[in-house]
Amino acid sequence: RVVEFYSPLCPACNEFKPHYIRLARSTVEKFPTIKFFGVNCDKYTKLCDDYDVQDFPSIRLFGLDDTDPASKGKRVESHSRLSPKKLASALKVISV
């Protein structure tokens, strides 16, 4: 799973949104087991606090075997370098 934590008031989030949507569409075409989600941290403050979201947008990766509720997911530092293949590899859907 790929989760974007965002704020609708964040200019960087609004700028990243079209890229995230394109990334999701192209990834799901090639790797349909990868799911994409977005969490509005203005609306779901407690959830974002629970995941220790410090900045926006914040992308986290959760593997299929990642069922530990205490897991905060793997942070993605460089949003602009995301690609379907990199996500699939990071989520262990494929090996590179």
Side-chain angles (χ1 to χ4, degrees):
R1 298 168 305 231
V2 181
V3 181
E4 176 194 15
F5 294 92
Y6 69 94
S7 167
L9 302 176
C10 163
C13 296
N14 291 322
E15 189 176 307
F16 180 67
K17 184 177 180 177
H19 175 71
Y20 187 69
I21 291 169
R22 280 192 307 275
L23 177 66
R25 287 181 180 153
S26 61
T27 301
V28 170
E29 281 179 13
K30 296 174 182 156
F31 307 102
T33 59
I34 298 176
K35 306 298 181 204
F36 284 76
F37 301 91
V39 176
N40 177 339
C41 289
D42 290 351
K43 190 172 183 178
Y44 299 101
T45 312
K46 181 170 177 359
L47 181 64
C48 294
D49 288 344
D50 289 348
Y51 281 90
D52 196 29
V53 175
Q54 300 293 319
D55 54 309
F56 303 114
S58 182
I59 307 296
R60 306 284 176 89
L61 305 179
F62 298 88
L64 294 173
D65 58 346
D66 191 357
T67 57
D68 179 3
S71 172
K72 305 286 187 209
K74 178 182 175 186
R75 284 181 209 248
V76 175
E77 299 297 328
S78 183
H79 305 135
S80 62
R81 294 192 179 130
L82 289 175
S83 71
K85 189 173 181 178
K86 286 180 183 176
L87 284 175
S89 176
L91 292 168
K92 296 179 177 38
V93 173
I94 62 169
S95 58
V96 179

